[in-house]
Amino acid sequence: MPNNWLFLTSYKKYRENLLKTKSFAFVARLGEHAFENTEAAGAFACMFSLNNITPELEHKFFGVNASNSRGEKPIYAAEKAILIKTNELILLNQKKQIANPDSSIVFESISKIPLLEEYADSYQGSGLADITQFRLLYWELPFIQNEWVLHVSSPNGFSDFSGMHFTIRWANGKGAMANSPLVTLRGRKAWGNMGVIVAWLGRIPAGRFLGNFFDNSGAVIIPKKKDYLTAIWCYCSSKYFPIEIRKINQKNQVANATLVKVPFDLEHWQKVAAEKYPNGLPKPYSDDPTQWLFHGHPIKTENPLQVALARVLGYRWPAESPAQESGRDTEMELADEARELIEAVKAFDHLSDEDGIFCIPSVNAEQAGAERLRDYLQLVFAGEWNNQTITQLLQKEGAKSTNLEAWLRDEFFVQHCKVFQNRPFIWHIWDGRKDGFSALVNYHKLDKDNLSKLIYTYLNDWIRVCVAKKNAGESGAEGLLSAAQKLKENLEAILHGEAPYDIFVRWKPLDQQPIGWEPDLNDGVRLNIRTFVEAGVLRSKFNVKWGVDRGKNPPGSYWGEVRDNDKHLSLEEKRVAREKTKK
């Protein structure tokens, strides 16, 4: 039978009935790969035998384990056949199984101390259905304000604060998301409360929960009394928590109710908490630029060059924005160190670019990109700067290049896409030549005016230099000029926006589709970057696709039920639709 009948809550009454009315002979856990047929891969199985006899008071049966723990080397069918004959047999009292949480059939001894559910409640997160419409990575927006709120997803377990890289289009509960028939809102009672968030898959890692909106990739544990929080955090972040969970539930995905059905010795964990956190739990802090808690200072991060360059191009992190600027009701809670770093890095904000255009070669009488970045870094690092700083920073980014110019031209964009999960907010636009025109642009500032400026100010100045070189008879000037002129044609096509260089947003009707380069940042990088990818003007490819998304559109959707992002619309179609709407 499927292994999960031994522990899932939905089988509770079934198990209780069997345990009370039938005499078990044995239960063998087989786990995954119990069948020789490879088509059954992914199925978790068990084997058991019972007699149609009411069990005596002290009736016992045998348990044998032929499954492997998660992360261990797989055990296949032939080996399992040997293990069920040779592994240790565990003698189990049938009546005592009924007393287990949810009457789960477990081989390990279950502690008799109170369960965590006496001290905390657990909540499942919301099911967002169409996450590409309602959820973005926070760096896809210049600011988290208006209809957007910070969002928490499943933690990774490698730091106390993780999973904080999303924002949700909540619109104060009055927008499309709250009214969508496909969205299941859950976990409201957890909003605004401190607790623990647990990823209920695999190894069940835990992270700190700060009261934000959360989705169903994680479940939240909220203490019934605030005084319990530190002890509960110490327990959930320890190695013992997943062990106890797996005693009663071996399924890959664990229900949120199961997370609090584990033994919890409050007095013991309060002692652990007092020793580990004598001054209470640390306030929120992160050196990871993919977390919205990040302070934004290049001097304290694993990606100093990425952060420094983002700042030069005018990007700021959510933690840097006061509540009134970010649309939040209250100030984000942060550690004192984070606030000090935020204040310190503000001293260099005047060096940031107004138009968000950073040319790698010297263009339009501006410094070459590498020189600008080096000057900025030297000021930021100040007393820590030495002759080896650039080399050390490049090594920290995992760069192969030995100088800033080569890194900017050849490696920056690849690393940027990797760090920021294939949703880059700095785009590397180039003409296809390493010695040609190259510019990094801040996507948040790349409106129609700044795209025109990139074409007709910066690129035109480069073309003027190339023409002068050609007229002077310089070797290779012809190729430089040709590449630059082709880039200009492609960028003008994007500016104009005729298919296939158009933006298509599948949740907007025809009359609301963009005409030319007029991106709505609320639609996200994935949709808006497509035209630049189609035109082939980005420095390197990255993992982004436009096909059919999972799920279906709600009934009555303009484009039908299929979530197809791979459409191109002519300018004429859009203009006609807009005129009809006006009339």
Side-chain angles (χ1 to χ4, degrees):
M1 289 184 72
N3 186 58
N4 58 18
W5 87 270
L6 297 173
F7 50 80
L8 284 189
T9 304
S10 53
Y11 290 101
K12 179 181 178 180
K13 291 184 179 179
Y14 177 62
R15 281 192 298 273
E16 286 180 344
N17 181 58
L18 288 182
L19 288 167
K20 289 176 181 177
T21 62
K22 314 297 178 187
S23 296
F24 281 50
F26 68 82
V27 175
R29 283 189 197 156
L30 302 178
E32 196 178 8
H33 308 297
F35 304 96
E36 291 182 346
N37 191 333
T38 55
E39 291 182 7
F44 287 74
C46 73
M47 183 167 60
F48 79 105
S49 173
L50 54 78
N51 297 304
N52 190 18
I53 302 171
T54 302
E56 295 178 359
L57 189 62
E58 294 300 319
H59 176 76
K60 294 180 175 61
F61 65 96
F62 287 107
V64 62
N65 189 12
S67 64
N68 59 292
S69 300
R70 298 184 187 280
E72 294 181 355
K73 183 180 177 182
I75 301 173
Y76 293 97
E79 189 177 354
K80 290 180 189 292
I82 298 171
L83 291 176
I84 60 175
K85 300 175 186 177
T86 58
N87 266 3
E88 177 188 2
L89 296 177
I90 305 164
L91 194 60
L92 303 166
N93 184 295
Q94 184 163 326
K95 183 180 179 181
K96 289 181 179 180
Q97 295 289 315
I98 301 174
N100 291 335
D102 289 336
S103 298
S104 298
I105 297 172
V106 299
F107 295 176
E108 300 83 359
S109 60
I110 300 294
S111 172
K112 298 303 178 184
I113 64 176
L115 300 182
L116 181 56
E117 64 184 357
E118 289 195 22
Y119 307 100
D121 298 306
S122 63
Y123 300 95
Q124 187 179 357
S126 296
L128 302 181
D130 191 355
I131 59 174
T132 54
Q133 179 180 356
F134 300 126
R135 187 181 77 177
L136 295 179
L137 291 160
Y138 75 80
W139 54 81
E140 296 184 69
L141 297 170
F143 307 104
I144 309 302
Q145 58 185 9
N146 300 327
E147 53 196 334
W148 295 91
V149 295
L150 297 172
H151 168 74
V152 182
S153 191
S154 54
N156 59 27
F158 299 119
S159 65
D160 291 1
F161 300 97
S162 61
M164 300 178 180
H165 41 256
F166 287 116
T167 180
I168 285 288
R169 199 169 190 169
W170 176 233
N172 202 28
K174 299 176 182 178
M177 177 183 154
N179 295 307
S180 171
L182 304 179
V183 172
T184 306
L185 289 172
R186 291 183 292 252
R188 282 177 180 261
K189 289 183 178 179
W191 298 357
N193 295 299
M194 295 288 187
V196 178
I197 184 167
V198 179
W200 51 6
L201 289 172
R203 55 189 177 86
I204 320 179
R208 295 273 303 279
F209 178 69
L210 304 179
N212 303 91
F213 196 106
F214 63 106
D215 61 44
N216 61 358
S217 67
V220 163
I221 297 171
I222 301 295
K224 292 182 176 179
K225 292 184 179 180
K226 292 181 179 180
D227 293 346
Y228 297 159
L229 176 58
T230 310
I232 290 174
W233 165 247
C234 287
Y235 175 54
C236 291
S237 59
S238 75
K239 65 180 182 181
Y240 302 104
F241 179 65
I243 291 172
E244 293 296 332
I245 292 288
R246 288 308 178 196
K247 283 183 181 180
I248 59 173
N249 191 319
Q250 295 87 49
K251 190 180 179 183
N252 187 45
Q253 183 172 340
V254 180
N256 65 293
T258 304
L259 298 175
V260 290
K261 290 182 178 177
V262 290
F264 178 66
D265 185 342
L266 177 62
E267 186 177 349
H268 167 75
W269 290 104
Q270 283 178 329
K271 290 179 180 177
V272 172
E275 292 179 9
K276 190 172 183 179
Y277 303 110
N279 300 315
L281 284 174
K283 288 184 178 181
Y285 178 89
S286 178
D287 286 333
D288 182 350
T290 68
Q291 305 297 299
W292 38 255
L293 282 175
F294 180 58
H295 45 73
H297 203 304
I299 210 164
K300 285 276 289 182
T301 177
E302 290 300 310
N303 303 99
L305 294 181
Q306 290 282 344
V307 172
L309 193 51
R311 297 197 74 86
V312 170
L313 281 158
Y315 180 73
R316 300 293 180 265
W317 271 261
E320 300 180 65
S321 303
Q324 60 270 22
E325 293 179 16
S326 64
R328 296 190 299 271
D329 294 331
T330 57
E331 204 74 32
M332 186 185 294
E333 185 178 7
L334 293 170
D336 291 342
E337 183 184 359
R339 296 212 177 277
E340 290 168 5
L341 289 166
I342 288 170
E343 285 303 312
V345 79
K346 277 184 181 179
F348 310 102
D349 282 356
H350 65 283
L351 300 172
S352 296
D353 212 297
E354 286 295 323
D355 58 19
I357 300 172
F358 178 99
C359 294
I360 295 176
S362 177
V363 178
N364 196 38
E366 290 186 359
Q367 274 184 301
E371 293 175 21
R372 287 184 62 191
L373 182 56
R374 184 181 293 104
D375 289 348
Y376 179 83
L377 290 167
Q378 195 164 359
L379 287 170
V380 170
F381 279 78
E384 296 185 31
W385 184 267
N386 59 56
N387 293 334
Q388 296 300 312
T389 301
I390 292 294
T391 301
Q392 291 165 356
L393 294 178
L394 288 168
Q395 289 173 348
K396 206 167 187 181
E397 296 284 356
K400 298 177 183 177
S401 305
T402 57
N403 62 76
L404 277 181
E405 183 175 3
W407 178 75
L408 287 170
R409 282 189 175 276
D410 304 331
E411 296 186 72
F412 161 74
F413 190 59
V414 173
Q415 293 174 2
H416 182 70
C417 291
K418 184 177 180 180
V419 170
F420 292 99
Q421 302 179 29
N422 293 304
R423 295 295 183 266
F425 63 90
I426 297 177
W427 297 355
H428 186 166
I429 297 168
W430 76 324
D431 62 10
R433 293 178 61 113
K434 289 189 177 183
D435 59 347
F437 181 83
S438 242
L440 304 178
V441 297
N442 182 342
Y443 153 71
H444 302 129
K445 297 188 175 187
L446 191 62
D447 56 16
K448 185 169 286 188
D449 289 341
N450 277 338
L451 179 55
S452 297
K453 187 175 182 180
L454 175 67
I455 299 168
Y456 300 115
T457 300
Y458 293 99
L459 182 53
N460 265 0
D461 186 64
W462 176 260
I463 290 173
R464 180 186 57 77
V465 171
C466 291
V467 169
K469 288 182 177 181
K470 179 184 175 183
N471 292 339
E474 288 189 25
S475 175
E478 182 90 42
L480 279 175
L481 178 60
S482 176
Q485 289 173 332
K486 180 62 178 174
L487 174 62
K488 183 178 179 180
E489 290 175 17
N490 287 331
L491 292 177
E492 286 178 328
I494 292 171
L495 190 65
H496 185 57
E498 185 60 82
Y501 304 118
D502 59 313
I503 300 171
F504 174 70
V505 186
R506 64 168 171 79
W507 49 83
K508 292 181 177 179
L510 183 57
D511 63 302
Q512 293 178 25
Q513 296 293 327
I515 292 179
W517 181 249
E518 50 176 33
D520 180 351
L521 299 185
N522 292 312
D523 297 330
V525 168
R526 178 196 181 199
L527 299 185
N528 289 327
I529 203 171
R530 181 174 75 151
T531 179
F532 282 78
V533 174
E534 294 274 7
V537 298
L538 295 179
R539 176 64 179 86
S540 60
K541 294 181 180 179
F542 60 102
N543 188 18
V544 60
K545 295 179 181 179
W546 306 273
V548 177
D549 290 333
R550 293 176 58 185
K552 295 180 180 180
N553 290 322
S557 173
Y558 186 90
W559 303 103
E561 67 176 22
V562 180
R563 294 178 176 175
D564 186 7
N565 299 281
D566 196 18
K567 291 181 183 293
H568 289 286
L569 303 169
S570 70
L571 292 173
E572 181 62 21
E573 287 178 276
K574 297 176 185 178
R575 289 186 179 120
V576 168
R578 288 194 183 187
E579 286 302 315
K580 285 183 178 179
T581 300
K582 286 180 182 178
K583 291 178 182 179

